[in-house]
Amino acid sequence: MSISLKDIQAPIAPEMELFEKKFRASMKTRVLLLDRIMSYIVKRKGKQMRPMFVFFTAKLFRQTIDEPTYRGAALIELLHTATLVHDDVVDDANYRRGFFSVNALWKNKIAVLVGDYLLSKGLLLSLQNDDYELLKIVSNAVKEMSEGELLQIEKARRLDITEEVYFDIIRQKTASLIASCCAVGAASAGACKEEVEKARLFGEKVGIAFQIKDDLFDYGTAEIGKPVGIDIKEKKMTLPLIHALREADWLTKRRVIYNVKNNNGDNKRVQQVIDFVKQSGGIDYTIQVMNQYHAEALAILHTFPDSPSRRSLEYLIAYTIEREK
């Protein structure tokens, strides 16, 4: 697909520009240290796919973007950023998206307090404007993300993740956030409960496809992306490996699991696991599953009337599974 993220964003460019101004203004504080950290966080913004999902979904129901939708997008950004700041502390990570993490620059204690501040800021934004439905949607997503992370940690110790558990983890860890973006977009535009749930389910399917694509990068399926083998080095069981192990004989399975458990960052052992997955059809199977979720997301999206927003969402979900990083 030749269309860029900037081209996809074009129909909502004015809304995105206004959102950025509103979001920057909402991050201002009278505490000098906090203000400096907030400015740093805002500058590190990524592709802004979350607000895009909110605005495009809202436009499926109403052509004009009103204040509740801007607040909904801000709420998601605030609560999600809070979880990322806390995640970096938990993971002892010094970088995020090529920038120093908050904890790397200002230490763990400050990073935890900043995460708490962002969380409370999001809660107050909703409560002060009576956006209870939006708060319920996003709070549920944060709960799901935390549960997914803990489930992954619990299972990673024994490397006994089945395909069913894998999908539970990525549905909670990744898909719940994109699902909440779409549900917030619909709810903020006045959609009924059934339509909000349909939008949420659409986002969940997109989120699962997105995470599967991310997992494929670990096997060198693109020239650009995260370092090859990083999931294996971190002993994370993803779909290509889970499928390959399921198809393997007992002896091969035992050898591969030993290599994952005891790789200690050894590139040779990691490469052996990657080669095993590729030879066992793990990549082809995973691409097939990803395409199935893409098709299911499209099927839900096509129950909404044709519109520029619907077409933009089609481009956006195609982008998520065809991206090279």
Side-chain angles (χ1 to χ4, degrees):
M1 186 185 72
S2 58
I3 192 165
S4 69
L5 203 57
K6 193 175 180 181
D7 292 333
I8 296 169
Q9 195 188 90
I12 54 165
E15 287 90 346
M16 290 294 291
E17 195 178 332
L18 182 56
F19 168 72
E20 197 169 325
K21 285 177 185 170
K22 286 174 179 284
F23 190 67
R24 279 175 184 270
S26 74
M27 297 285 262
K28 289 282 181 193
T29 164
R30 278 180 265 179
V31 179
L32 189 61
L33 173 62
L34 195 52
D35 200 44
R36 216 161 70 222
I37 298 171
M38 292 299 110
S39 297
Y40 180 73
I41 288 171
V42 169
K43 278 178 193 168
R44 299 184 315 164
K45 67 181 170 59
K47 296 169 183 167
Q48 290 199 294
M49 287 176 74
R50 290 178 298 276
M52 287 172 71
F53 273 110
V54 173
F55 292 139
F56 280 135
T57 309
K59 283 197 169 212
L60 290 176
F61 301 95
R62 182 183 292 167
Q63 274 311 296
T64 51
I65 297 294
D66 295 329
E67 284 302 315
T69 305
Y70 285 110
R71 290 197 300 269
L75 171 63
I76 285 172
E77 287 292 271
L78 285 164
L79 266 61
H80 180 55
T81 306
T83 65
L84 294 183
V85 171
H86 283 161
D87 281 352
D88 288 339
V89 174
V90 170
D91 298 337
D92 201 20
N94 290 324
Y95 296 94
R96 180 168 289 277
R97 296 197 199 104
F99 292 91
F100 282 115
S101 59
V102 173
N103 52 296
L105 291 174
W106 288 281
K107 306 300 179 193
N108 285 349
K109 186 176 182 179
I110 289 174
V112 170
L113 292 169
V114 166
D116 292 346
Y117 174 80
L118 289 163
L119 183 65
S120 63
K121 191 97 172 162
L123 297 175
L124 282 170
L125 176 68
S126 295
L127 294 172
Q128 286 166 351
N129 292 282
D130 298 334
D131 294 330
Y132 301 116
E133 185 58 30
L134 307 187
L135 183 57
K136 185 179 173 184
I137 292 166
V138 181
S139 297
N140 189 61
V142 173
K143 175 186 79 79
E144 292 264 325
M145 287 159 68
S146 304
E147 285 178 357
E149 193 72 55
L150 288 164
L151 178 60
Q152 186 172 52
I153 291 167
E154 178 197 338
K155 294 294 180 182
R157 288 173 182 162
R158 296 195 301 272
L159 295 183
D160 63 348
I161 293 180
T162 62
E163 197 168 309
E164 186 183 357
V165 171
Y166 165 80
F167 281 111
D168 278 345
I169 290 169
I170 66 169
R171 181 186 56 77
Q172 291 185 298
K173 263 189 72 176
T174 305
S176 61
L177 183 65
I178 296 178
S180 73
C181 292
C182 297
V184 161
S188 68
C192 66
K193 277 190 176 179
E194 290 75 14
E195 298 284 27
V196 170
E197 174 54 24
K198 192 161 63 167
R200 189 202 65 78
L201 190 57
F202 160 72
E204 184 174 285
K205 303 277 187 190
V206 175
I208 291 172
F210 180 93
Q211 185 57 54
I212 293 173
K213 176 67 175 183
D214 218 49
D215 293 343
L216 281 165
F217 286 140
D218 206 47
Y219 293 88
T221 55
E223 288 178 22
I224 308 167
K226 64 183 182 182
V228 172
I230 198 79
D231 286 340
I232 297 165
K233 285 176 183 174
E234 292 176 359
K235 302 176 179 57
K236 286 180 185 171
M237 298 284 281
T238 58
L239 190 57
L241 179 56
I242 292 165
H243 176 76
L245 285 171
R246 192 176 64 195
E247 300 298 306
D249 60 72
W250 178 82
L251 199 60
T252 305
K253 191 182 292 186
R254 188 177 170 187
R255 174 177 55 80
V256 172
I257 287 176
Y258 180 85
N259 274 344
V260 174
K261 268 186 180 174
N262 302 284
N263 72 74
N264 298 322
D266 180 353
N267 288 330
K268 189 179 174 185
R269 278 188 172 171
V270 170
Q271 191 58 51
Q272 284 173 356
V273 176
I274 291 171
D275 292 342
F276 158 74
V277 169
K278 287 180 175 177
Q279 289 157 15
S280 304
I283 303 298
D284 293 339
Y285 174 77
T286 302
I287 290 170
Q288 184 187 328
V289 173
M290 178 183 71
N291 288 335
Q292 179 60 37
Y293 274 98
H294 178 206
E296 288 173 12
L298 274 180
I300 296 171
L301 184 60
H302 287 163
T303 63
F304 295 107
D306 187 23
S307 67
S309 300
R310 196 185 86 172
R311 289 193 290 276
S312 292
L313 281 168
E314 285 175 21
Y315 290 135
L316 192 52
I317 60 174
Y319 176 86
T320 63
I321 67 164
E322 292 172 22
R323 65 201 161 95
E324 294 299 302
K325 58 182 174 178

